[in-house]
Amino acid sequence: DYIFLLIRPDVFKKIGKDFLIFTENNPTIISCMAGISIKSISQTLNSKKVIRIMPNVMAKKSLSQTYVYSKNKKLLNSNFRSLINSFGSVIFANSEDDINVATAVFGSGPAFIAHIINSYMIAAKKISRKTKIKDIELIELFQNVLALNNNSRELEKFVMSIASKKGTTQAGVNYLKSQNIKKMISTTLDRAYKRAKEIGVEKKSPK
């Protein structure tokens, strides 16, 4: 049997012991919580059968990239794999800290990406009040760019193929570079990663 921990980390720290009533038959515990270590979960629920996973919201459409880690590799059997494969693609982590990285990149990532895309859409519609660009046209723009490029190198070449000296693309790209957009994205992910690590060592709030 499997039990999923789908609660906020701060709630688990406060009332984690209350879940002991669900672990009497020694089920495998699958935690989706950010930051809470296997050691902490094992101690709270008196169980050595703990797996940490980090899916994202797109699991409901079987489109999640889900990271998985357990100290007990025997728990990652065919039954577990069949269950988790229904979320989308599965990546088996080499260390528990990989789950913190996955929390920032794949767990929180969809929100960061959606924010960036939506900002572009808002800006595009702002300068096209007369032509009235539609949302679907802009969504298709992003989809088509990704359909043509499968890795970072291809994306770099793609930018270079469009940007001509003193042209419109170069003007926009130069501005993005001047604002250090790469550092902005790097800092965003770094803060999310550090926050995931902080959650694990924070003491529970007083009642």
Side-chain angles (χ1 to χ4, degrees), residues 108-122 142 184-185 188:
S108 300
F112 303 150
I113 293 168
H115 184 78
I116 291 169
I117 292 173
N118 194 42
S119 296
Y120 187 94
M121 292 173 67
I122 291 170
F142 280 90
M184 190 181 300
I185 299 299
T188 298

Side-chain angles (χ1 to χ4, degrees), residues 5 12 29 31 33 36-47 50-52:
L5 290 176
F12 181 77
I29 299 165
S31 171
M33 296 185 294
I36 306 299
S37 69
I38 288 176
K39 180 180 179 180
S40 178
I41 297 168
S42 295
Q43 290 176 343
T44 301
L45 298 180
N46 192 28
S47 174
V50 180
I51 302 171
R52 284 188 67 190

Side-chain angles (χ1 to χ4, degrees), residues 62-183:
S62 297
L63 293 172
S64 173
Q65 287 135 309
T66 303
Y67 266 67
V68 173
Y69 179 77
S70 178
K71 293 180 180 179
N72 184 352
K73 303 306 179 186
K74 292 182 179 180
L75 297 177
L76 309 179
N77 55 32
S78 59
N79 289 335
F80 169 77
R81 291 172 187 245
S82 178
L83 174 64
I84 298 302
N85 281 338
S86 65
F87 290 10
S89 61
V90 178
I91 302 98
F92 291 93
N94 294 317
S95 70
E96 190 162 7
D97 189 56
D98 287 346
I99 298 295
N100 294 324
V101 175
T103 299
V105 177
F106 295 102
S108 300
F112 303 150
I113 293 168
H115 184 78
I116 291 169
I117 292 173
N118 194 42
S119 296
Y120 187 94
M121 292 173 67
I122 291 170
K125 288 188 286 185
K126 184 177 179 180
I127 67 169
S128 64
R129 289 171 180 165
K130 292 183 179 179
T131 54
K132 296 182 179 179
I133 293 176
K134 297 177 182 177
D135 282 358
I136 188 60
E137 295 170 344
L138 295 166
I139 291 294
E140 287 177 351
L141 173 63
F142 280 90
Q143 291 174 335
N144 293 341
V145 170
L146 293 175
L148 291 174
N149 299 280
N150 294 315
N151 55 56
S152 179
R153 181 177 296 180
E154 288 184 0
L155 286 166
E156 288 284 357
K157 289 182 177 179
F158 187 72
V159 173
M160 292 174 62
S161 72
I162 301 171
S164 57
K165 190 175 182 179
K166 297 184 178 180
T168 59
T169 304
Q170 194 63 57
V173 169
N174 284 345
Y175 179 75
L176 289 173
K177 289 181 177 180
S178 73
Q179 298 303 301
N180 209 343
I181 191 170
K182 288 184 178 180
K183 182 178 180 181

